[in-house]
Amino acid sequence: MSLDLETIKENGSIAAGDHVSSGGDDEKQSCRVYVGNLSWEVSSEDLKEHMRDAGNVTNAEVMTVADGRSKGCGIVEYSTPEEAKEACDTLGDTEVKGRMIFVREDTRGTSSGRGRGEGGQHNGESRGGGGASVFVGNLAYETSWQDLKDHMRQAGNVAQASVLNQKGGRSKGCGIVVFQNPCDAARATCELQNSVLHGRPIFIREDREQGGKRGGGGHRRGDRREVGGDKGASGSANANGCQLFVGNLSFDTDWTQLKEHFRQCGDVERVEVIEGPGGRKKGFGTVRFANEKDAQNAIERLDGVELQGRELKVRIDGKAR
């Protein structure tokens, strides 16, 4: 069986012309979540298996284009709204086949408002709403808000585009784009991911500042760690508050490069880059500082800063031991 595709297309979860790789009964919207940034290799069964960590999955759908290729996103349906909320709270920033996924409520039929498409550059964070706002990383420093807006129009009607600046006015290499509806934002995440703007492949994800914080991101059984630092010091600092989770790492980043990048914020005791069973890096790791002050300094200074072309996500490692 399959979801009511006409209803989904009308309300904006799946763009017209999209196909779905598997089927399931149509349940109320509050039981569904949208999952983005999927690897092309992830099947509906893979997605279902991963999302079971939050509850009973009644259906998992990976969106595909007409020729059957994955669009890098999907819909997962749970038995209850509470399970769907648990998935949003705990499975965002977890890894599936080498990519960090994001999970949000399936906000069909909502809108962030109908304003004129003003653009701008901001020293602070931009606010979106209703699932219609996306974060765009790896921008060239010469990219203006107008360039960004024109590029993102390929996915739908853009209400606002902003390039984030440092205090001195220099671009931070990232921005926020607010679409007029969530459907276009989802389409941008799927179709414009890794598209080239001013010679750089851009990275697109949900603008998480518009909603609740994401959980998850811990290590899974069978993962290997590429470790650097003083092994005898691993227990010298209280891990709670001193150890950071670092996400969205380039697969080219090793522990020495990660440590060097974070040493600008304080005394780094230990660095780990997580690898899968085959030795392939999984795109995230941990950094442990000697004290909480240095760890907080790293969050303030390095969260959202690029390393080897990817914008890092830096936060306290809630699963540190």
Side-chain angles (χ1 to χ4, degrees), residues 114 152-153 155-160 178-181 184:
R114 305 283 181 179
M152 301 299 286
R153 277 175 174 162
N157 294 324
V158 175
Q160 184 176 11
V178 182
F179 287 91
Q180 291 187 359
N181 63 72
D184 292 342

Side-chain angles (χ1 to χ4, degrees), residues 3 22 49 106 118 150 174 181 215 221 274 283 289 311:
L3 291 174
S22 65
E49 184 65 27
D106 180 24
E118 299 296 326
D150 290 343
C174 56
N181 63 72
R221 191 167 47 198
I274 309 304
F289 285 92
E311 183 174 354

Side-chain angles (χ1 to χ4, degrees), residues 124-163:
E125 295 293 335
S126 178
R127 292 183 174 86
S133 178
V134 297
F135 173 90
V136 185
N138 203 34
L139 293 175
Y141 291 129
E142 65 267 24
T143 300
S144 68
W145 69 263
Q146 188 64 60
D147 296 330
L148 180 59
K149 182 175 182 179
D150 290 343
H151 185 78
M152 301 299 286
R153 277 175 174 162
Q154 299 175 71
N157 294 324
V158 175
Q160 184 176 11
S162 304
V163 171

Side-chain angles (χ1 to χ4, degrees), residues 10 12 20 82 98 143 154 158 186 214 218 253 263 272-273 281 296 306 311 313:
E10 179 181 355
V20 176
E82 291 75 20
T143 300
Q154 299 175 71
V158 175
R214 307 291 176 187
T253 302
R263 284 176 65 181
E272 297 180 336
V273 174
K281 294 183 177 67
Q296 287 297 326
E306 284 191 14
E311 183 174 354
K313 299 300 296 180

